Amino acid sequence: MRAPRGIVLTPAEWLPATTVKAVEALADGLVTQDESEAIGYEQLPVSGRESAPEMAVLASREALERAGVAPASVGAVLHAWTYYQGHDFWSPAHYVADRTGAVGGVPIGVQQMCNGGAAALETALTRLVAMPDHGPVLVTTGDRFQGPAFDRWRGDYGVWYGDGATAAVLERREEPAGAALVLDALVTEAAPDLEVVHRDVARFQDAPLSAGPTVDVRRTKKAFLTGTGREPFVGRLRETTTRVVRSALAEAGLGPGGPAPRAVLLPRLGRATARDIYGPAVAAVTPAPVVDLGAGTGHLGAGDLFSNLTALAGDGPWGLRPGEHAVVLSAGAGFTWSGVVVHRP
C-alpha cells in the first residue's frame, strides 16, 4: 500500500553489550568452517540477563525519546516476536506497554515469525489511518535465543541468531525531524502453502519441545527440501522477492525510469542467502546495491526490519541523506515477505 501523506516513523534498537565472536564459535566446534564462510558474520549479541520483553522495553524507551513522544500519549503498543518470551501463558505486549509507561494504549501481540516486525508495522499503519485521533502507535520486537532449548549457531540452516530488541514510533507528522523517516510504501505477499517448511509433518505435538529437547529447524527444512528439491524452492523465494521489491517501488512512485533507491537492505540471513536469493531477485528490478548489515548482529528474529531502519535513520555509513530513498526487505517463515520504502525528508 502507498502510505498516506504525513506518516513518519522513528526507529531504535537495543542490543546486549555481550557478544560471542564467530571465530570463538568455530574454535569451540559450534560451527564448521564451511558454515562460517557461507554466513560471513563476525559476531552475535548474546543476552546474559535481559529477557526478550525487557529488551523491548529498553528499545521502546529509546524510540519514544527520539520521537519526542510521551508514553502516555501512545494509542497502541504492537509487540512482535519469533521465539520464547519468558513465560508460557502470558501476554508480552501488555508487559511492554506497562513497563514503557504506555498504559493508555491497547497492547497487541503480533506473531508472524521473522516477518513480525513488518506485520506489526502494517497493523500500526492501518490503525493510524482508521483511527487518526487515537495517538501514535509504538511497535516493538524482542527475541532472545537462549540455550539449551535453542542453538543459535546450529539450530537452523544458514542462519545465526542474535539477541536484541527494536522499536519504532509511527505517527502522523507533517514536519518530521531528528531520527524520523517518512514511510512511503509497504507491500506484503504471503505463500501459506510453505508453512510446511517449518512444521513437523508427522504429527501435531501436545506441548512445546515434545518432539525433542531443542528447537530443530534443520529437521523440518531437510524433510521439505528432500521432497521438493532446493532449486524450485529457491526459485520461488527469488520470484516472490522480485515481485515485492517491484511493487514497493511502484507504490512509492519509484518505478522504472525514476531515481534508484540508495540501497536495498536485506534480512540478516548471511552472505550465501544474500548472494543466491536476494542479490538476483533485487537486480531484476533495480540497480541499487543490496546491503546486509548483519555482520555484528546476526539475525534478530522479528527485529531485522527495524534494526535496518535504525541504520537508515542514523548518522552511520548507511544513514540516508535528505531526499534519499531506501528499500528494506523482511521475510519470515510461513512464508511472508514485506518490502518497506522510506525516505529522509
Side-chain angles (χ1 to χ4, degrees):
M1 71 177 76
R2 183 187 291 258
R5 181 178 175 83
I7 301 293
V8 302
L9 63 89
T10 304
E13 69 179 0
W14 191 92
L15 302 177
T18 301
T19 61
V20 177
K21 305 293 185 182
V23 292
E24 297 171 356
L26 180 62
D28 291 340
L30 299 177
V31 299
T32 67
Q33 183 67 43
D34 288 345
E35 290 169 339
S36 183
E37 292 174 357
I39 291 179
Y41 289 169
E42 298 171 3
Q43 64 184 25
L44 299 181
V46 176
S47 173
R49 181 169 55 90
E50 295 88 0
S51 69
E54 288 173 319
M55 291 189 288
V57 169
L58 295 169
S60 68
R61 290 172 180 168
E62 178 68 20
L64 289 165
E65 182 177 349
R66 291 183 181 181
V69 169
S73 70
V74 171
V77 177
L78 280 64
H79 178 65
W81 67 93
T82 298
Y83 185 56
Y84 187 61
Q85 294 291 287
H87 294 281
D88 292 325
F89 201 70
W90 176 68
S91 172
H94 285 71
Y95 175 91
V96 173
D98 178 55
R99 295 305 175 94
T100 301
V103 294
V106 179
I108 302 171
V110 179
Q111 226 299 321
Q112 203 185 63
M113 297 303 287
C114 298
N115 201 57
L121 178 61
E122 187 165 332
T123 304
L125 176 59
T126 56
R127 183 181 175 92
L128 276 183
V129 172
M131 307 169 68
D133 298 327
H134 283 243
V137 180
L138 174 65
V139 181
T140 68
T141 76
D143 274 303
R144 180 178 185 238
F145 300 97
Q146 182 69 18
F150 198 105
D151 187 333
R152 68 179 71 250
W153 302 98
R154 296 178 293 193
D156 199 350
Y157 285 122
V159 186
W160 291 348
Y161 291 81
D163 299 340
T166 66
V169 177
L170 195 69
E171 58 184 321
R172 288 182 176 272
R173 189 191 299 175
E174 291 300 326
E175 297 182 1
L181 299 169
V182 176
L183 180 62
D184 298 306
L186 196 167
V187 171
T188 298
E189 183 172 335
D193 61 294
L194 292 178
E195 56 80 21
V196 70
V197 176
H198 291 81
R199 174 164 59 86
D200 185 348
V201 297
R203 57 168 292 188
F204 282 88
Q205 305 297 330
D206 295 327
L209 298 179
S210 295
T214 62
V215 176
D216 189 355
V217 186
R218 292 189 178 192
R219 180 170 57 85
T220 60
K221 282 187 175 179
K222 182 178 181 179
F224 172 80
L225 294 173
T226 299
T228 64
R230 183 179 184 275
E231 286 309 311
F233 179 59
V234 169
R236 191 169 178 189
L237 299 181
R238 287 192 195 123
E239 292 166 5
T240 310
T241 301
T242 295
R243 285 197 302 270
V244 167
V245 174
R246 181 179 289 115
S247 297
L249 289 174
E251 290 290 341
L254 299 174
R262 164 91 182 279
V264 179
L265 273 59
L266 307 180
R268 301 176 180 189
L269 302 177
R271 179 185 297 160
T273 300
R275 179 194 65 223
D276 298 340
I277 297 176
Y278 287 105
V282 172
V285 182
T286 173
V290 294
V291 178
D292 182 348
L293 297 180
T297 68
H299 181 43
L300 294 172
D304 283 1
L305 172 68
F306 291 121
S307 186
N308 282 337
L309 287 168
T310 301
L312 293 175
D315 298 324
W318 289 105
L320 294 179
R321 294 182 288 271
E324 287 186 330
H325 291 76
V327 181
V328 184
L329 294 177
S330 177
F335 271 58
T336 316
W337 298 259
S338 291
V340 176
V341 182
V342 296
H343 77 269
R344 169 81 78 180

